[in-house]
Amino acid sequence: MSKIHSGWAGLVVLAILFAGGCGNIDRANPSDPWIRAERIVKQIRLPEIPEQQFNLSDYGGAGDGTTDNKPAFDRILSACTENGGGKMVVEAGTYLVNGPIHLGSHMELHLEEGATLVFGSDPKDYLPVVLTSWEGTRCYNYSPFIYAFQARDVAVTGDGEIDGNASESWHHWKALQGPDQALIRNMNNGAVPLEERVFGSGHYLRPHLVQFYGCENILVENLKITDSPFWCLHLVYSKNITVRNLTYEALNFNNDGIDPESSENILIEEIVFDNRDDNIAIKAGRDLEARTLGIPCRNIVVRNCLFRGHNAVAVGSEMSGGVHDVYVHDCSFAGKVIYGFYLKGNRDRGGEVHDIYARNLEFDTTTSTIIIDSDYKNEGSCCPPLFRNIRVENIRANHALDHGIYLNGSPQMHLDSIEIREVFIRAAQKEVEIHHTDHLFMERVTINGKAYSYDGGVPSWIKSTSPETGREVWQITSDTAPSVACYFERQAFTADEKYVVYASRSSGAWRLCRMDLGTGVARELTGYSRHILMDDYTIMPDGERVCYMDGWKLYATDVALGTEELLFDYTGLLPDRPWYSGSFTNDGRYTLVYVENDTLKAIYRTDLETGEIQEMHRQRDGKISHPLINPEDPGVITYVPGPDTQNDMSLPMEQRARSWKVDLHAGTDRQFLTMPYGFRATHESWSSDGARFFFFRKTRPGWEPVAICSMNKQGEDLQVHYQSDTIRLGHGIASRDGGWFVSDSQEPFTNELLLLDLGSGEGQVLCWPNSTVDGWDSGMSHVHPFFSPGGNFICFTSDRTGVPQVYVVPVGDLTHREL
């Protein structure tokens, strides 16, 4: 039992939503996403700049409007670099700069009041090319006018102005860029190597005004930005960014104000926009490249801004790497905008946009006030985007020339879980238009004096009565694609029994979904970016989050909120990609994973509090199944080694053990459950208090009789709780309170669901699942029943309709009576 890795304390259980470094979220009020917005702001680090100062005038700078200050900037940058960084001050005056300013780490470019940088317009001055991103595709192109590459602690500040001087030069390249625009998109979707994507001389892709590429700890504040050649402030693959107190007058083509792209931990505040394109456009790359890289844009707070221009706040349309956790609040208008709150993507983009929140926004005149569009420009076919979990509240506008609210999903990927509350639009040409949208909730929405409301979605369950027993049975899923509940040793119900979670392949790949047991309304929890392995999931002991493995990473999603966190990353810590056991201790601290390849089979225990991974068992041949950690004792782990030799009655007893037990207290790894000759054991599980080890004892051949048995943690005190001479009992588990046991049978097409009173030993049939048992993969055709935490429901899977579906049986009337 060797220790693999330790010392991750404080880094393993990551904050909800902010996998990658946000600290622990206060879960005291988990339903309020604005708590998370406050956390994002608090964690953003400002740059640390050395106190030494360098004045441009000391290096030959001349603010006369005609002298080329590029040599002076080269000299001051060199001096600043040689001295470990500092504050480079540009005094009042107008400074012509014929070429780019490249900032490095620990540098602040500060424009004093009255200082204006005017950039020259000769394209040759912005060569050689640099690595950049152009409309969401990486390439080598003309240098941005102010550029920082992989710098740490860098700032552009002051009360001066940055003038791109592009209206009479670069502005006209818009009409010439078409062939290069098509070329770069083809390079993206054709996976052309990055080093071959070279533009610059002879091409017409306009450069950005200010760009930070791969930087960390960035501050941009108190400046005026005018006359940009392309996007004004572009933040690419960067993090810890503060942008505040800027003023824009940027009226050329595509003069976006601020474009965070595949960046994170960003505060944008107190900005006065006047732009000829999006004021704020949140992006994550486009098409094949961005879907492959999978670098999202996330953890963004926008507040106290004034909007004027094309679109106030936009997500996309380049969003293929995904965008999530965006919070926009308390903003108003400086004039007309085309779209107020605008989420956009199309069928070439793919990508998932989720957990986007906006509140307290006010507009004057818009073309459309609230718009979510999955079919932007009616382009693409391969990869529809997913927009889900969007909440908009307290929005006001005077006039919408087109739509007040426009929601447009795609037939392949509907908008999902959209909440719109407290919206007032005085006048709109079209009030509300909705296409391909699931689980929409609208309340207190008034447009043109008319009230609009929509409550949540359409129930998707089918309630029926078992013809054999008269008991009510709820069919949770009903699709031509399979759906399955988790394995019986795990849990699919939240602690409050409000939701049941299941896996569905209705979207083409396995995804986790939840159903509200009060309303029958279902929604997806995981998007296409997560690869779920059918029934390989469980609700965690906190009763709120569902846990699942995707590749090397263990994730958890809050079932009520739909928010995801990275629970543990096993990359590089184990000898091969792990499989998830779904087994936790009751305190949620310990869980198990296991590895199986041609040369190694091993079980590992993970301490989610300290980050320690410890090897529990190792074998060379066979396989491992049913690894379980004792719910109350993390020092006890049971497992089933393969191959199963129980049926070979010629073997000695020590070679016929069904289950083995690792006991860390005794330092042993030895057989734990062995049946006498003529018997075998299957499908074991621990009681929730960890005191009893349940299993099925069967005869060979024939399985008759079959008994539900248990023994204590030491392998002693064998008890037979129920025995049947007629029902081939197969899988089951005890209720959390220890009073009941549920079991299926494995007779094809005529299997029964049995509820057993562990106090009296009496059993009754609840219904006939009538699964084929062997018609599909066993994980999809076996019934695998289990209790909800409070014992009010039993969940199971059956392919009785021809396709595996998920069912729930209410049993609270039985399990809550006095024993």
Side-chain angles (χ1 to χ4, degrees):
M1 305 176 192
S2 60
K3 191 174 294 185
I4 299 290
H5 183 77
S6 63
W8 280 18
L11 293 179
V12 174
V13 182
L14 299 176
I16 297 177
L17 301 174
F18 313 130
C22 278
N24 290 320
I25 287 294
D26 181 2
R27 296 182 62 85
N29 187 5
S31 64
D32 184 0
W34 298 99
I35 292 175
R36 303 196 294 270
E38 294 169 6
R39 287 291 185 115
I40 292 171
V41 173
K42 289 179 181 178
Q43 73 172 3
I44 296 173
R45 295 193 300 274
L46 291 170
E48 297 181 1
I49 307 295
E51 294 184 358
Q52 56 195 343
Q53 180 171 311
F54 305 85
N55 295 329
L56 186 65
S57 59
D58 295 336
Y59 295 87
D64 56 15
T66 58
T67 300
D68 179 14
N69 285 274
K70 180 66 165 70
F73 271 103
D74 289 344
R75 287 190 289 268
I76 195 173
L77 286 163
S78 178
C80 191
T81 301
E82 291 173 0
N83 287 276
K87 185 176 183 178
M88 299 176 292
V89 176
V90 180
E91 300 94 330
T94 300
Y95 296 83
L96 176 66
V97 188
N98 289 325
I101 298 172
H102 285 191
L103 301 176
S105 294
H106 312 295
M107 290 186 182
E108 177 181 353
L109 175 61
H110 182 81
L111 308 184
E112 290 189 336
E113 185 176 0
T116 301
L117 301 184
V118 180
F119 285 91
S121 55
D122 188 342
K124 295 193 300 295
D125 293 336
Y126 299 90
L127 296 174
V129 296
V130 299
L131 179 59
T132 182
S133 174
W134 201 89
E135 286 194 342
T137 298
R138 295 177 302 162
C139 68
Y140 290 89
N141 193 34
Y142 292 104
S143 174
F145 293 0
I146 296 176
Y147 179 67
F149 180 74
Q150 294 183 347
R152 183 182 179 90
D153 298 311
V154 59
V156 183
T157 67
D159 296 307
E161 179 178 342
I162 302 172
D163 184 349
N165 189 30
S167 59
E168 298 302 322
S169 54
W170 304 94
H171 177 70
H172 301 292
W173 281 24
K174 168 74 170 179
L176 304 174
Q177 73 183 21
D180 291 322
Q181 193 174 32
L183 176 60
I184 195 172
R185 292 178 181 176
N186 288 335
M187 287 178 165
N188 181 324
N189 287 306
V192 172
L194 177 58
E195 59 270 17
E196 298 179 20
R197 304 179 197 172
V198 181
F199 290 83
S201 182
H203 298 275
Y204 296 95
L205 299 182
R206 292 161 290 158
H208 304 80
L209 182 62
V210 181
Q211 184 182 88
F212 296 88
Y213 191 113
C215 297
E216 185 173 353
N217 305 341
I218 300 164
L219 172 65
V220 182
E221 69 174 348
N222 296 337
L223 297 163
K224 182 176 182 180
I225 294 177
T226 62
D227 207 7
S228 174
F230 191 51
W231 297 350
C232 296
L233 175 56
H234 190 199
L235 311 163
V236 191
Y237 305 137
S238 296
K239 64 181 178 179
N240 288 334
I241 303 162
T242 302
V243 182
R244 61 191 176 204
N245 298 319
L246 303 185
T247 301
Y248 283 85
E249 189 178 335
L251 305 177
N252 295 324
F253 293 123
N254 305 117
N255 272 190
D256 287 8
I258 304 171
D259 293 80
E261 178 179 339
S262 297
S263 294
E264 63 182 282
N265 301 346
I266 304 168
L267 172 63
I268 299 170
E269 64 178 348
E270 306 288 351
I271 313 294
V272 179
F273 291 98
D274 187 3
N275 296 78
R276 193 177 175 181
D277 214 316
D278 297 344
N279 291 176
I280 300 170
I282 300 168
K283 302 176 180 292
R286 69 180 296 151
D287 301 347
L288 176 64
E289 177 178 72
R291 293 195 301 271
T292 302
L293 292 173
I295 303 174
C297 206
R298 61 186 180 181
N299 302 352
I300 301 169
V301 176
V302 178
R303 63 191 185 189
N304 303 319
C305 294
L306 292 176
F307 299 123
R308 175 192 291 160
H310 277 201
N311 307 313
V313 178
V315 174
S317 63
E318 300 90 352
M319 35 63 74
S320 302
V323 176
H324 63 87
D325 292 284
V326 176
Y327 306 84
V328 183
H329 68 96
D330 296 291
C331 296
S332 188
F333 58 88
K336 176 183 176 181
V337 296
I338 294 178
Y339 296 127
F341 181 73
Y342 188 17
L343 310 185
K344 51 183 174 175
N346 64 34
R347 290 163 293 171
D348 274 346
R349 298 289 192 265
E352 182 174 345
V353 174
H354 65 89
D355 292 281
I356 312 296
Y357 303 92
R359 71 178 180 183
N360 305 339
L361 307 183
E362 187 171 1
F363 303 101
D364 185 12
T365 298
T366 67
T367 298
S368 293
T369 304
I370 299 170
I371 178 169
I372 307 175
D373 189 4
S374 294
D375 197 18
Y376 176 66
K377 293 187 176 180
N378 193 28
E379 293 178 348
S381 60
C382 72
C383 308
L386 174 63
F387 293 92
R388 67 176 178 90
N389 202 24
I390 317 296
R391 183 186 298 181
V392 184
E393 54 189 330
N394 195 19
I395 311 297
R396 300 179 67 86
N398 284 324
H399 193 191
L401 300 175
D402 191 6
H403 286 90
I405 298 173
Y406 179 75
L407 306 177
N408 183 37
S410 67
Q412 303 92 341
M413 194 77 72
H414 292 194
L415 307 183
D416 186 46
S417 299
I418 312 297
E419 294 186 23
I420 301 174
R421 306 169 186 263
E422 302 284 357
V423 173
F424 177 85
I425 302 172
R426 184 181 58 80
Q429 180 68 29
K430 303 173 185 176
E431 292 150 2
V432 177
E433 185 174 345
I434 301 169
H435 304 281
H436 306 303
T437 299
D438 296 334
H439 313 131
L440 169 65
F441 185 88
M442 287 199 303
E443 70 174 4
R444 296 187 293 278
V445 173
T446 302
I447 306 174
N448 290 339
K450 300 177 183 178
Y452 289 85
S453 63
Y454 192 82
D455 188 8
V458 178
S460 57
W461 58 17
I462 300 173
K463 291 187 175 182
S464 61
T465 301
S466 168
E468 298 87 0
T469 67
R471 177 160 290 279
E472 189 173 49
V473 178
W474 303 347
Q475 185 177 336
I476 295 298
T477 62
S478 54
D479 202 299
T480 56
S483 296
V484 294
C486 62
Y487 199 60
F488 73 93
E489 297 164 346
R490 307 179 186 182
Q491 182 56 261
F493 294 88
T494 53
D496 58 9
E497 298 187 337
K498 180 177 181 180
Y499 300 109
V500 62
V501 176
Y502 59 90
S504 172
R505 210 168 67 191
S506 63
S507 298
W510 286 107
R511 297 180 183 174
L512 292 183
C513 306
R514 75 167 199 215
M515 173 170 281
D516 186 323
L517 292 175
T519 66
V521 174
R523 60 158 289 184
E524 286 187 356
L525 289 174
T526 57
Y528 79 98
S529 58
R530 289 285 159 262
H531 297 89
I532 306 300
L533 297 177
M534 201 172 67
D535 61 349
D536 192 17
Y537 71 90
T538 190
I539 298 292
M540 295 176 66
D542 63 14
E544 298 177 356
R545 294 172 293 167
V546 60
C547 185
Y548 45 90
M549 182 77 74
D550 182 0
W552 291 82
K553 298 178 180 179
L554 192 64
Y555 290 93
T557 292
D558 189 296
V559 177
L561 300 177
T563 53
E564 181 187 86
E565 62 179 301
L566 175 61
L567 198 62
F568 204 94
D569 187 350
Y570 290 92
T571 304
L573 304 179
L574 295 177
D576 204 346
R577 184 175 71 87
W579 298 93
Y580 184 47
S581 72
S583 183
F584 274 96
T585 50
N586 286 332
D587 59 6
R589 177 171 175 174
Y590 295 93
T591 189
L592 299 179
V593 296
Y594 61 104
V595 168
E596 286 192 341
N597 58 35
D598 292 339
T599 59
L600 172 67
K601 283 77 179 171
I603 302 171
Y604 301 90
R605 187 186 72 172
T606 304
D607 185 335
L608 294 177
E609 183 175 302
T610 66
E612 180 184 76
I613 303 174
Q614 191 170 1
E615 186 175 281
M616 298 287 100
H617 166 77
R618 176 184 289 242
Q619 65 189 58
R620 181 177 181 85
D621 300 315
K623 61 178 296 186
I624 292 172
S625 65
H626 297 262
L628 298 171
I629 193 165
N630 185 282
E632 285 296 315
D633 186 351
V636 172
I637 291 92
T638 57
Y639 64 93
V640 177
D644 186 349
T645 57
Q646 293 185 94
N647 296 333
D648 189 343
M649 301 303 168
S650 65
L651 292 175
M653 290 291 285
E654 62 269 15
Q655 295 182 27
R656 293 184 54 252
R658 162 65 181 184
S659 298
W660 286 54
K661 182 175 78 171
V662 175
D663 188 335
L664 295 182
H665 312 295
T668 58
D669 180 0
R670 63 188 182 188
Q671 60 186 16
F672 178 53
L673 173 60
T674 304
M675 288 289 96
Y677 289 112
F679 294 88
R680 66 193 306 266
T682 68
H683 299 102
E684 45 283 296
S685 59
W686 285 103
S687 62
S688 62
D689 62 2
R692 306 294 299 179
F693 188 72
F694 284 89
F695 59 92
F696 289 82
R697 186 187 68 188
K698 305 173 181 179
T699 58
R700 288 296 299 173
W703 289 23
E704 294 175 358
V706 176
I708 297 171
C709 306
S710 72
M711 58 187 187
N712 63 19
K713 195 166 66 172
Q714 291 73 40
E716 302 167 345
D717 186 27
L718 176 67
Q719 295 182 19
V720 178
H721 301 282
Y722 181 83
Q723 180 169 300
S724 174
D725 295 330
T726 58
I727 305 176
R728 292 162 59 94
L729 301 173
H731 314 85
I733 197 164
S735 61
R736 182 166 293 184
D737 65 6
W740 302 86
F741 197 94
V742 62
S743 176
D744 65 1
S745 68
Q746 293 192 296
E747 296 287 354
F749 301 105
T750 59
N751 33 69
E752 298 157 296
L753 190 65
L754 180 74
L755 180 65
L756 171 67
D757 186 329
L758 289 176
S760 66
E762 298 176 353
Q764 64 172 287
V765 176
L766 296 174
C767 64
W768 266 251
N770 292 333
S771 180
T772 65
V773 177
D774 297 316
W776 289 72
D777 178 277
S778 61
M780 298 171 71
S781 62
H782 284 176
V783 177
H784 290 163
F786 54 88
F787 285 97
S788 62
N792 286 294
F793 303 99
I794 289 171
C795 187
F796 67 89
T797 301
S798 173
D799 62 353
R800 62 188 298 171
T801 64
V803 178
Q805 303 295 341
V806 180
Y807 298 80
V808 166
V809 182
V811 292
D813 58 329
L814 293 174
T815 57
H816 285 181
R817 66 178 173 84
E818 294 185 6
L819 297 179

